[in-house]
């Protein structure tokens, strides 16, 4: 497959500087690209890599289209676009279509589809998948091999469910969802009532479900628990990375990012356009405001204002947390300064004088 | 399904105030409940939600049965019980039984059960499950679809093993266990002997097993490694949440909670009634005393006394850690105070004077 | 199976002190060993356990072969070797071979192998496994039950792929790899281009692959994402523990340890012989130098020098981080000292005097 550069410019709505007849056959990052690839500058801080790139052509932001740029080293062919990353993504989509030519969707004869399940048109079901009683699969959805779709579950239209996904009974997945392998939607929430007399933990039945709205992508090995009663809900357009834990009755809004290994405890409500970076943790029954950003490894123990940026465990506003981190690095200085001052003032040698310490310890 | 309130009161051993003839059809949290639902007050801090609830009936603690309460707004029907959460759980159990009416247990013809495996009475095996040679499954246990039970493994009676669980060879699961999808019991421990000359990591065979005692529940996508020799052991009544890592030769006592994404490294011994909150980590070869509580995201690097409550990474006693967190927030004040004092004393402007700093840096 | 001690000494290249005719039937840790087991001293700090051990025979380091040692209590039979842990591992390998006597490798009739897939000699494929079009499996490799090997994927020779592993299309696994259950190799990277106008996250196709080199072991429930373009790469001899997240286009060098629940974000390059301890996190686009050690729960936010040892979130050099942790514990002392000094100097009672505080707060 060859795509010539005038076609690329047309496809991405960009302005080509260079040879429209040249063609690319692949796509790669700036430093890996060969003279047969197109590449892109996604972040201005990598601009120096453009000069060194061997790419046939590079997508650049329109703002970079200056006289100075024209004389720079680097790929002779440039396409100026509004969003170089998105232009690049569109090329990848073309290449992917070429790579993944698939035959017509079929329900594999080595699958187990209950006769009361309802499959829309053009539904594919891979080998050894199980679709239970009264489950519904929307038109054009592809269920990979070895998946399990529980009774009364509903999966929308145009979804891509990769091999070895479990969607438990009564759960609902919207249209155009993508769910990666190893993910479990609808396992029981972690709910127990501890008997005070015996210390035994008695199971609280978890009879709710999970509702995944439209256009959601869920990574591999994710666990999303069903509500105790009612639903655990993932809002439209939200993207969830691998190995994430979402507890019972959590609500996540629209267009959020939940990055890998993050955990959200029960009944917490996450707003829209929230970013939870990798390995973040949020305790239960909280509210995270719209547009908040929780940075990596942070631990959230109280409600978060809209658009707040938090860092640390327990988390503080990002600027404050960074300042405190810097001051923590000065603790040796601080400690030394106090010794010096106390010595100067005749108050003993350490932050507490020996007399004070002995006196206070004796009282304890 | 309708349950009238006099029946509810009888079932839960509670005292009904209101109409015994009224009936509920479902159950929900206070704010989601409709006039057809029963709800409950689990935590006094949500008492204000009772007033606003539209529930038909609400379970309240006996201590709330006061004259003042009688005149409060909120659901007209109240059932006073010892433990409202547990009363609610009993209703959920009824509703669940109604929802999950299942047919008789069968061994699906699309499963692969070795002729030397031993299945008790009323055992169910889902499609595409594999039960290997000499594995034993106790009476009444339901093995979901696409499970793998290795050779010589034993699963007790009355267990519920959800789809896509792996229980590797020789592992043992007690009676009434519940294991959720994606969980792996008995993967190899992470054991290597590094050759000092070459830096190569040589595998140490992991020939032990995992023993899960009775009444244990294990969430989805959990990894429990087999012992190098001997057993990794999960004590009776312990409940493990999703995405937890339990390394080889760990021993967990009875009635513990191991919350989501916690990791416990090799050979650590956890006592009884211990709580490890979400994303906690415990290094190897430690002992955690009975009744200890490790709060979320804490990192445990030394033995823990019984009933200790720890927080932080590395963890400290909870009160101390909280106090230090508060003082950390005062670091800017502290730093400023030192500047002020040094200035007053003519000791330079910062915690270290410029002269000092240059002098000391020169020495390094 | 019995192994006599002279045979054990020969097998491990050790020097036997004791009875060559005595025999062991099993292996165990020092405190668990019975008089039918061999044990070993792996770490000098457990030397006292040797005395109390009931083992028939114990592997000791050559350095422990002193006259004093000869008269110590403990197992009468000792084999002095260069590396007691490795000697013990060799015994485990013998015992394992005895335990796991397996029949000839077969392709189970209840599997789905595409007619254009290429299987080497002695390849085993378990029931309900799927091997897609043009996938290649090297000689002697065992694919467990319920595995999924995607189109054009290649798995090398002599591999052990446990049940319920997913290796997606085009991914490559080298020779002698071991992959545990629940692991997903080649799920899509977490790549989205957010439309600034609408806030919608548009998927960037992930058309690269994963390359796992030779002699790699990967634990259970691990997620390794495919490159956006190009490869995510795991170097020869590297060992990855359970529940680890490796994002798109990460490169990990040779002979690394990546311990449980660690996450590595996109495009980060990890050198050779690096250790990432449990629950560590590394943000994207970083370089971790050869031989670096990242301790448990650390958060890496900038490049790491070769052989650096880091701790904390955000991480600092280990010695510094430990010193700062100790000084953090002195914050109450520091705070008190400042009050004392300010009082002495007539500067008010707290680190900030009340006047100062009111004045400053008024300005905000």
């Amino acid at each position: 497959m060859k795509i010539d550069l005038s076609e690329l410019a047309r496809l991405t709505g960009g302005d080509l500087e260079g040879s429209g007849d040249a063609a690319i056959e692949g796509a790669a990052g700036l430093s890996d690209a060969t003279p047969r690839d197109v590449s892109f500058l996604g972040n201005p801080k990598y601009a120096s890599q453009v000069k060194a790139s061997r790419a046939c052509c590079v997508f650049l932001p329109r703002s970079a289209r200056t006289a100075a740029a024209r004389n720079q080293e680097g790929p002779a062919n440039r396409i100026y676009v509004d969003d170089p990353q998105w232009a690049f993504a569109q090329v990848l989509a073309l290449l992917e279509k070429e790579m993944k030519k698939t035959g017509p969707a079929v329900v594999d004869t080595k699958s187990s589809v209950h006769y009361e399940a309802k499959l829309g048109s053009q539904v594919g079901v891979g080998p050894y998948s199980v679709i239970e009683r009264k489950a519904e699969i929307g038109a054009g959805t592809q269920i990979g091999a070895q998946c399990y779709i529980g009774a009364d579950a509903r999966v929308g239209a145009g979804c891509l469910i990769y091999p070895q996904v479990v969607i438990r009974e009564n759960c609902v997945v919207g249209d155009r969802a993508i769910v990666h392998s190893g993910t479990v939607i609808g396992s029981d929430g972690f709910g127990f009532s501890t008997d005070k007399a015996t210390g035994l933990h008695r199971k609280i039945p978890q009879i709710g479900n999970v509702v995944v709205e439209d256009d959601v992508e869920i990574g591999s090995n994710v666990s999303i628990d069903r509500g105790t009663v009612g639903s655990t809900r993932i809002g439209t357009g939200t993207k969830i990375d691998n190995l994430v834990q979402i507890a019972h009755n959590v609500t996540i809004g629209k267009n959020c990012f939940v990055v890998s290994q993050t955990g959200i405890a029960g009944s917490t409500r996450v707003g829209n356009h929230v970013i939870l970076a990798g390995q973040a943790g949020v305790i239960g029954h909280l509210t995270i405001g719209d547009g908040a950003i929780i940075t990596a490894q942070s631990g959230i123990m109280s409600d978060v204002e809209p658009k707040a940026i938090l860092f640390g465990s327990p988390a503080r506003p990002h600027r404050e947390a960074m300042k405190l981190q810097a001051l923590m690095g000065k603790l040796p200085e601080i400690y030394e300064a106090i010794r010096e001052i106390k010595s100067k003032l005749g108050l003993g040698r350490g932050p507490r004088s020996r007399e004070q310490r002995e006196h206070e310890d004796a009282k304890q």
Side-chain angles (χ1 to χ4, degrees), chain A:
Chain A
M1 184 192 203
K2 287 197 178 198
I3 312 171
D4 63 32
L5 301 189
S6 56
E7 170 64 14
L8 264 194
R10 200 190 55 74
L11 173 78
T12 58
D15 296 327
L16 172 66
E17 240 177 47
S19 159
D21 295 337
I24 59 100
E25 295 172 49
L30 286 166
S31 52
D32 294 336
T34 73
R36 300 194 297 192
D37 291 324
V38 65
S39 192
F40 77 108
L41 177 63
N43 187 329
K45 79 174 175 189
Y46 300 124
S48 66
Q49 292 184 19
V50 174
K51 294 184 204 168
S53 181
R54 298 167 59 231
C56 167
C57 175
V58 62
F59 290 113
L60 296 173
R62 291 191 196 281
S63 59
R65 196 174 188 181
T66 62
R70 211 156 296 152
N71 300 318
Q72 269 190 350
E73 295 168 76
N77 303 305
R78 294 143 194 222
I79 299 176
Y80 294 94
V81 292
D82 292 337
D83 182 343
Q85 188 192 37
W86 180 236
F88 189 72
Q90 289 170 285
V91 178
L92 297 185
L94 273 188
L95 295 170
E96 187 179 44
K97 198 181 275 183
E98 178 76 11
M99 285 165 65
K100 289 203 179 171
K101 271 183 217 149
T102 47
V106 295
V107 176
D108 199 286
T109 55
K110 297 193 191 102
S111 65
S112 176
V113 179
H114 194 280
Y115 70 95
E116 288 182 84
K118 285 189 197 161
L119 273 54
S121 64
Q122 299 295 320
V123 164
V125 179
Y128 313 126
S129 276
V130 175
I131 299 184
E132 298 278 25
R133 183 166 178 268
K134 295 198 175 175
E136 294 182 26
I137 314 291
T141 285
Q142 306 306 309
I143 306 281
Q146 303 149 331
C147 286
Y148 179 85
I149 313 291
D152 297 296
R154 277 183 290 136
V155 178
C159 294
L160 191 44
I161 311 295
Y162 280 97
Q164 298 183 21
V165 165
V166 171
I167 299 175
R168 285 259 310 267
E169 69 277 6
N170 295 310
C171 292
V172 177
V173 174
D175 295 339
R176 296 172 302 278
I178 300 174
V179 184
H180 289 278
S181 300
T183 282
V184 178
I185 296 176
S187 41
D188 284 3
F190 195 65
F192 300 91
S193 173
T194 302
D195 184 70
K196 276 162 203 149
T198 61
L200 298 181
H201 307 307
R202 300 166 299 186
K203 183 172 179 74
I204 299 175
Q206 305 287 309
I207 68 171
N209 73 345
V210 177
V211 176
V212 175
E213 298 179 354
D214 296 339
D215 298 301
V216 169
E217 181 162 348
I218 303 175
S220 53
N221 288 323
V222 169
S223 290
I224 306 180
D225 282 348
R226 63 198 311 113
T228 305
V229 285
S231 299
T232 303
R233 184 173 290 270
I234 313 296
T236 301
T238 282
K239 312 297 183 185
I240 297 175
D241 200 353
N242 305 334
L243 291 159
V244 164
Q245 149 74 358
I246 296 180
H248 47 183
N249 293 100
V250 164
T251 299
I252 299 183
K254 298 186 197 309
N255 302 312
C256 295
F257 280 141
V258 184
V259 182
S260 181
Q261 296 178 321
T262 283
I264 306 176
S267 298
T268 281
R269 301 180 75 84
V270 176
N272 302 317
H273 297 286
V274 170
I275 297 174
L276 287 149
Q279 298 183 335
V282 184
I283 68 165
H285 296 273
L286 298 186
T287 299
I288 312 285
D290 290 353
I293 297 176
I294 312 300
T295 61
Q297 292 191 329
S298 293
I300 304 300
M301 297 168 72
S302 52
D303 288 349
V304 174
E305 293 292 310
K307 302 208 176 178
I309 305 178
L310 299 186
F311 175 67
S313 173
R316 300 171 190 265
H318 190 259
R319 269 177 70 107
E320 182 194 344
M322 282 298 165
K323 188 175 176 188
L324 296 186
Q325 281 296 325
L327 285 171
M328 251 198 85
K330 292 189 197 293
L331 276 175
E333 259 182 63
I334 289 171
Y335 197 72
E336 200 42 54
I338 288 175
R339 289 170 66 98
E340 185 190 1
I341 293 163
K342 293 195 79 165
S343 164
K344 176 104 175 180
L345 294 177
L347 287 170
R349 301 194 49 203
R352 285 195 296 170
S353 62
R354 199 193 311 161
E355 290 77 7
Q356 271 182 292
R357 193 152 46 222
E358 282 167 5
H359 180 63
E360 290 171 14
D361 292 350
K363 284 194 298 188
Q364 283 171 4

